[in-house]
Amino acid sequence: MKYHHRIWAASSLVLGMFAAGAATAGPTMDKIKARGAIICGVSQGIAGFSIPDSTGKWSGMDVDLCRGLAAAVFDDPNKVQYSPLSAKDRFTALQSSAVDLLARNTTWTMQREASLGMNFAVVNFYDGNSFMTKKSLNVKNARDLGGASICVTAGTTMELNVADFFRANQLKFEPVVFVTADETAKAYETGRCDVLIADSSANYSRRAQLQKPDDHIVLPELISKEPLGPAVRQGDDQWLNIVKWTHYAMINAEELGVTKANVVEMRSSTNPEIRRLLGLEGNLGEGLGLSKDWADRIVRHVGNYGEVYDRNVGQGSVIKIERTTNALWTKGGLQYAPPVR
């Protein structure tokens, strides 16, 4: 009998620990709260994802994820410090705690997660490598590129992808390698290579910035899978969950029709899913170490995923990338979030 009592007592203790609900404070959140800002590692300038304007104000999809995190933690989307990083330096910056997360159009791969001490939280943009070239070369598809010189950025998945593509198609090419994405794009623009390889979204972004965008074409083939998303250091589950659920809050808000413009009005909704998302029923934010209205803050300050997509890379931007795989799952895409309950 005593044995069963001990089992019951131990089980009750464990259940009590889980039932308490509050997250154990992690080292990253402690530092962020003490600092009063989140440090986001971003790109050195990719329009639509993370790029500063002439006044130093950053914008883009990755920037909006950082702003959403600051809204959830501080109720202030401006409490973010942006740290522009090259492809070569980004992982060291995360590993050394120079940044709290990478929100820098970085591809989620097995090798990076298994060997570099990092966890990818979510995929906030489904992408793939593609080629951009000059229309004057009269290239119609990627298999017409045999013998071409190709500008590629060092330290990226593109180096392996382009080699795999030409090897698989028994074609030759000349790699022209540069350290930063900016150097690679400028080399293409000044004619040091025939072709630029980049994520398809980055190619559309770069083309929009060229002096004569209509003189260039982004070829239709995607030669790789590039699931892009934010990454954090391993070993801090609380911070990983906050990054993950900030993105999921934006997805759920779009699915439920909650927007930056109507979020205050939606607080009077009788829909239980909306009421839980906005913190009007239950206290689900407590489990993340956040306030009840953590998701309300994100949508009120930044917007839902569809709004973020549209103004940065979609039809409301100069880039105008179709949603396709980045549409909600209810509309044939891959963006899907677990429920807030």
Side-chain angles (χ1 to χ4, degrees):
M1 182 65 81
K2 287 182 179 178
Y3 172 79
H4 291 295
H5 279 305
R6 283 198 295 271
I7 294 291
W8 180 87
S11 300
S12 297
L13 177 61
V14 172
L15 288 171
M17 291 167 63
F18 284 103
T24 303
T28 307
M29 272 291 279
D30 286 345
K31 289 178 183 175
I32 287 170
K33 287 182 176 177
R35 187 191 305 127
I38 296 168
I39 302 178
C40 272
V42 293
S43 78
Q44 293 168 307
I46 298 177
F49 289 86
S50 51
I51 191 168
D53 64 14
S54 58
T55 67
K57 183 180 178 182
W58 286 81
S59 65
M61 286 198 68
D62 293 333
V63 167
D64 277 344
L65 179 70
C66 298
R67 295 178 71 243
L69 284 163
V73 175
F74 296 112
D75 199 15
D76 184 347
N78 297 315
K79 291 194 172 181
V80 182
Q81 298 172 13
Y82 298 101
S83 177
L85 299 167
S86 70
K88 179 174 173 289
D89 296 334
R90 56 186 160 173
F91 302 126
T92 304
L94 182 64
Q95 291 162 340
S96 66
S97 300
V99 298
D100 297 316
L101 77 156
L102 279 182
R104 190 205 170 282
N105 60 312
T106 296
T107 302
W108 184 342
T109 71
M110 177 179 174
Q111 187 271 337
R112 287 172 175 172
E113 201 160 58
S115 305
L116 298 181
M118 56 197 289
N119 284 129
F120 285 85
V122 293
V123 177
N124 68 336
F125 194 93
Y126 290 93
D127 209 344
N129 286 170
S130 71
F131 299 108
M132 178 164 66
T133 189
K134 298 173 182 65
K135 284 183 179 175
S136 59
L137 296 179
N138 200 30
V139 173
K140 301 300 181 188
N141 61 64
R143 283 176 293 281
D144 292 339
L145 293 175
S149 56
I150 298 182
C151 285
V152 59
T153 305
T156 66
T157 53
M158 290 175 274
E159 285 186 288
L160 178 61
N161 292 337
V162 68
D164 282 354
F165 174 80
F166 279 82
R167 181 180 174 190
N169 287 281
Q170 299 182 320
L171 298 170
K172 292 184 178 179
F173 76 104
E174 177 192 350
V176 186
V177 182
F178 299 89
V179 173
T180 70
D182 268 351
E183 289 172 346
T184 310
K186 285 175 184 171
Y188 167 76
E189 191 172 2
T190 56
R192 294 182 64 183
C193 55
D194 303 316
V195 179
L196 174 67
I197 181 173
D199 290 340
S200 191
S201 58
N203 268 335
Y204 280 104
S205 169
R206 294 287 183 192
R207 189 179 70 161
Q209 294 174 301
L210 294 173
Q211 286 190 341
K212 295 181 178 178
D214 291 341
D215 288 353
H216 303 263
I217 182 173
V218 178
L219 299 180
E221 297 96 336
L222 297 180
I223 67 165
S224 67
K225 293 190 293 185
E226 305 295 329
L228 308 180
V232 299
R233 283 178 296 282
Q234 290 179 0
D236 189 340
D237 290 347
Q238 183 203 20
W239 182 233
L240 172 65
N241 282 336
I242 290 173
V243 175
K244 187 186 301 182
W245 281 96
T246 293
H247 174 72
Y248 289 153
M250 293 182 183
I251 295 288
N252 277 305
E254 182 183 6
E255 192 174 328
L256 294 167
V258 182
T259 68
K260 187 176 180 180
N262 71 13
V263 63
V264 174
E265 178 188 345
M266 283 292 192
R267 290 174 190 162
S268 61
S269 171
T270 57
N271 182 324
E273 290 184 90
I274 293 175
R275 294 187 66 77
R276 281 192 292 269
L277 176 70
L278 300 183
L280 300 165
E281 291 184 6
N283 187 9
L284 294 166
E286 185 181 21
L288 297 173
L290 299 174
S291 65
K292 288 175 65 173
D293 65 341
W294 64 282
D296 184 300
R297 293 176 174 189
I298 294 168
V299 180
R300 177 161 38 92
H301 289 298
V302 182
N304 66 37
Y305 181 82
E307 294 174 295
V308 168
Y309 188 100
D310 185 66
R311 68 170 172 259
N312 289 306
V313 298
Q315 298 308 306
S317 74
V318 297
I319 303 173
K320 300 189 186 307
I321 303 174
E322 297 292 336
R323 287 284 294 266
T324 57
T325 51
N326 288 293
L328 293 181
W329 66 285
T330 53
K331 296 181 179 179
L334 297 176
Q335 289 295 350
Y336 180 101
V340 177
R341 63 170 180 251

